[in-house]
Amino acid sequence: MGNSALKVLVVKTVQEYRDWRDKLPSGKIGFVPTMGALHEGHMALVQAARKTCDHVVVSIFVNPLQFGPNEDFAKYPRVLEQDLALCEKFGVSAVFHPTVDVIYPNGQSGITTVHPPAELIAGLCGAFRPGHFVGVATVVNNLLNIVRPDYAFFGEKDYQQLQVIKHMVADLNMQVQIVGVPIVRESDGLALSSRNVYLSGKQRELAPQIYGALTAVKYLIHGGATISDAVAHGKSLLSALDGVTVQYLECCDPFTLQSVSDPKAPSIVLVAAKYGDVRLIDNLVVNA
Ligand code: AMP
């Protein structure tokens, strides 16, 4: 049951978790699913959970199902001791840290999976990461079934993911409240991400331009530009940077994630850009 030097409880199996939950004093359970390599962005979710809930459970699980064959599953950062120290510092009640076999007892293929609606996952990240959101919805459904929280907290940084999860919970009548938490940024605007550690010095210098491009798009639209002109400008700002490729930069309806053309309509601008091999995503509300 974890490292004795640390006070935060670590549970590794479904049974261990159930035993712990059964003995828990009554109160609301808040759940923060993560893949570890925790930072202040994750801790904002923990803090939001602590505000509304009596017990906070963080899961740390790098989910193989949501990575494509050429993606970074094997080299995704795994720093458990550091993560546990952060969880302890921020008052997490228990960390659920299962193995792949615990989450997928029947293996990873030929199992029951959750398929979000095509309209939500065909575009944006889904277009560049086939199968990703099936992997995400499947593991979140699985984790929610194990943890059985009252509330589950997700970052707005992964905006498409948040919408996929909200739809899943509504469509399947799942008994949990999904809460979105605003993006935590570095002082220069770069959204915190576990993948930022892979940026070279030069890439790190150029990375805040992602937020710069989103902000430019927002103010161009507010200043009267058409959405297509604003989006083209935002893309050109990023594409001009050495070693940067824009996968998408789009202005979408905040709920359906379909492209928006009316500059006055509610909208959010979303981006994915590759800095060498490092894929970064971000977004900004244009009109609430
Ligand atoms: P991950 O460990 O990358 O799967 O992220 C776990 C959760 O933390 C997801 O709900 C993310 O959206 C959220 N998250 C990651 N980075 C940030 C950030 N910079 N601000 C807010 N939430 C974040």
Side-chain angles (χ1 to χ4, degrees):
M1 282 252 200
N3 183 329
S4 55
L6 290 163
K7 277 188 276 60
V8 68
L9 176 71
V10 181
V11 292
K12 297 193 166 193
T13 66
V14 175
Q15 194 55 54
E16 269 175 28
Y17 178 79
R18 286 191 182 143
D19 290 346
W20 174 76
R21 195 188 192 282
D22 287 348
K23 292 195 202 93
L24 213 52
S26 65
K28 301 283 181 209
I29 297 184
F31 178 40
V32 178
T34 82
M35 298 203 299
L38 303 179
H39 50 63
E40 281 173 48
H42 298 108
M43 290 307 117
L45 307 189
V46 168
Q47 283 169 317
R50 285 198 64 188
K51 267 199 197 128
T52 40
C53 301
D54 306 284
H55 314 286
V56 177
V57 178
V58 169
S59 64
I60 297 177
F61 179 63
V62 186
N63 174 34
L65 224 56
Q66 71 189 65
F67 287 81
N70 299 317
E71 293 184 351
D72 57 349
F73 173 71
K75 69 165 209 158
Y76 196 84
R78 289 163 172 88
V79 287
L80 185 64
E81 290 307 309
Q82 191 183 304
D83 289 349
L84 296 181
L86 259 187
C87 286
E88 181 177 344
K89 183 169 161 205
F90 281 79
V92 170
S93 320
V95 172
F96 181 49
H97 180 53
T99 60
V100 172
D101 290 345
V102 164
I103 296 298
Y104 301 116
N106 295 320
Q108 293 170 56
S109 61
I111 57 166
T112 306
T113 49
V114 178
H115 288 250
E119 306 82 76
L120 270 187
I121 65 169
L124 305 171
C125 287
F128 294 88
R129 305 188 70 186
H132 172 67
F133 288 113
V134 172
V136 167
T138 301
V139 79
V140 171
N141 181 47
N142 193 324
L143 290 167
L144 290 171
N145 285 336
I146 295 168
V147 175
R148 286 177 293 134
D150 300 282
Y151 296 84
F153 297 81
F154 291 84
E156 289 173 356
K157 158 134 187 307
D158 298 86
Y159 193 82
Q160 190 174 14
Q161 166 174 284
L162 175 62
Q163 295 311 315
V164 163
I165 300 304
K166 280 187 174 168
H167 277 74
M168 174 181 79
V169 162
D171 291 346
L172 301 180
N173 288 303
M174 296 169 71
Q175 206 181 2
V176 59
Q177 195 97 3
I178 301 300
V179 183
V181 177
I183 299 175
V184 178
R185 302 180 179 282
E186 302 283 5
S187 54
D188 60 13
L190 176 64
L192 265 58
S193 163
S194 306
R195 290 185 169 104
N196 290 351
V197 295
Y198 294 127
L199 295 169
S200 69
K202 179 80 184 129
Q203 289 168 332
R204 176 63 187 82
E205 261 173 47
L206 298 177
Q209 307 257 3
I210 295 181
Y211 185 57
L214 293 176
T215 310
V217 171
K218 170 175 166 170
Y219 288 115
L220 281 170
I221 296 171
H222 286 185
T226 64
I227 288 192
S228 63
D229 284 352
V231 160
H233 182 74
K235 270 186 198 162
S236 70
L237 287 176
L238 287 177
S239 306
L241 303 175
D242 204 19
V244 177
T245 323
V246 180
Q247 285 194 332
Y248 65 78
L249 190 151
E250 274 182 56
C251 210
C252 294
D253 178 280
F255 303 103
T256 65
L257 298 183
Q258 303 306 298
S259 281
V260 162
S261 51
D262 175 2
K264 300 268 182 263
S267 64
I268 180 165
V269 55
L270 304 108
V271 64
K274 285 194 87 172
Y275 281 60
D277 287 339
V278 189
R279 186 174 182 278
L280 301 177
I281 61 171
D282 200 350
N283 63 79
L284 185 66
V285 171
V286 175
N287 295 320

